[in-house]
Amino acid sequence: MTTDRALLELHAVSRRYASLVAVDDVSLTVAVGERRAVIGPNGAGKTTLFDLISGRQRVSGGSILFAGRDITRTPEHVRARLGIATTFQRSALFEGLSALDNVAVAVQHRRRVAGNALRRADAFTDVADRSRQLLRQVLLGDHQRTRAAALSHGQRRQLEIAVALAIEPTLLLLDEPVAGMSPAESHAFVDMLDHLDADLTVLVIEHDMDVVFALASRITVLQAGRVLADGSPAEVRADPAVQEAYLGGGEAEELFRV
């Protein structure tokens, strides 16, 4: 459930590469439980912005607060422990392991469960129970023993969400999660996200406008590394600057359909 309490705050955040400014003086606040989409044309700085939030890259200027804590210089692995989880466009699953074992490895790591390397990861009862719970949460409860390589593209993305949830995040960063999915898979994926814990904050980069407007309670539009617009889906849809700069004018009505 969205609250007025801020979870993530960016203050004048920038990222420069010599003369290239990829993210330019970006400020935004994301509330606890919010579903926020970040959209914009290719090269707008969306993925770089995510990298700055996750800690994969360092900011050139500005500051980042997470749950009131300054994490501007905090390493990526520490941010993960604090509750920031990320899924990327490229899969990071163990292809030869079952869906259950992929999640169990992540749960075991989170809980620092030590054990004999020859034992299966799901041999620990509490780890197995938590792993099955996460698979049910992402609607993969019937695919526990299916190898990751045998899952459909949409199911693999759902499994990646379960792995990300294993670290018990409060902020989930999704970089183009429905890329390559069929319309049916995209619909199922959005439905799955809708059933996640209401207190989990989700920040998503996405080009599919149907997904954006089905999922997001608020949208931030980037152009050339700067915030062009920020507001509710209705406000962004009606913004002439967004329609002109991001959608090229004539395509706005089709791409911003309800």
Side-chain angles (χ1 to χ4, degrees):
M1 179 181 295
T2 304
T3 70
D4 293 330
R5 183 162 50 93
L7 179 68
L8 178 69
E9 300 172 72
L10 275 62
H11 299 286
V13 168
S14 299
R15 174 62 184 179
R16 300 179 180 86
Y17 306 93
S19 61
L20 173 64
V21 182
V23 173
D24 189 6
D25 197 36
V26 169
S27 295
L28 59 86
T29 300
V30 182
V32 173
E34 186 175 316
R35 279 14 180 196
R36 171 79 66 100
V38 179
I39 66 173
N42 290 332
K46 303 183 298 296
T47 296
T48 301
L49 183 66
F50 264 36
D51 286 346
L52 299 177
I53 295 169
S54 69
R56 295 190 81 196
Q57 296 191 49
R58 288 195 172 189
V59 303
S60 302
S63 61
I64 301 174
L65 301 182
F66 181 68
R69 172 175 176 168
D70 190 331
I71 61 167
T72 308
R73 304 299 175 189
T74 302
E76 181 180 10
H77 70 279
V78 177
R79 297 188 197 196
R81 288 204 299 267
L82 291 175
I84 300 178
T86 308
T87 69
F88 303 100
Q89 296 179 40
R90 292 186 178 182
S91 175
L93 299 173
F94 295 106
E95 301 287 343
L97 295 184
S98 69
L100 182 64
D101 284 344
N102 265 276
V103 180
V105 168
V107 173
Q108 186 174 349
H109 178 73
R110 171 64 178 179
R111 298 189 176 186
R112 301 180 181 180
V113 176
N116 190 315
L118 297 179
R119 296 178 66 188
R120 292 175 57 84
D122 65 352
F124 304 92
T125 301
D126 59 336
V127 171
D129 288 347
R130 175 59 175 162
S131 301
R132 294 188 181 98
Q133 179 188 33
L134 289 170
L135 285 176
R136 290 192 297 270
Q137 193 171 359
V138 300
L139 309 183
L140 288 178
D142 294 333
H143 295 277
Q144 294 182 26
R145 293 299 175 187
T146 305
R147 287 190 308 115
L151 295 171
S152 71
H153 178 63
Q155 289 170 335
R156 287 164 60 86
R157 299 315 300 260
Q158 289 170 241
L159 179 56
E160 289 169 1
I161 297 295
V163 171
L165 293 177
I167 75 165
E168 302 174 10
T170 50
L171 174 63
L172 183 60
L173 305 177
L174 306 177
D175 191 353
E176 296 192 35
V178 305
M181 289 189 193
S182 68
E185 287 178 319
S186 295
H187 179 79
F189 191 84
V190 171
D191 183 60
M192 180 271 294
L193 290 178
D194 283 341
H195 286 83
L196 295 182
D197 190 328
D199 289 332
L200 176 65
T201 305
V202 179
L203 193 57
V204 57
I205 294 173
E206 188 50 63
H207 287 289
D208 187 321
M209 290 299 103
D210 287 335
V211 171
V212 168
F213 288 114
L215 176 64
S217 56
R218 193 170 185 89
I219 299 172
T220 298
V221 184
L222 293 185
Q223 183 189 29
R226 299 184 66 87
V227 175
L228 177 67
D230 186 89
S232 69
E235 290 169 336
V236 169
R237 184 187 290 117
D239 192 317
V242 174
Q243 295 179 6
E244 181 61 32
Y246 174 51
L247 298 171
E251 300 176 353
E253 183 176 350
E254 172 63 19
L255 289 177
F256 269 17
R257 64 187 181 279
V258 178

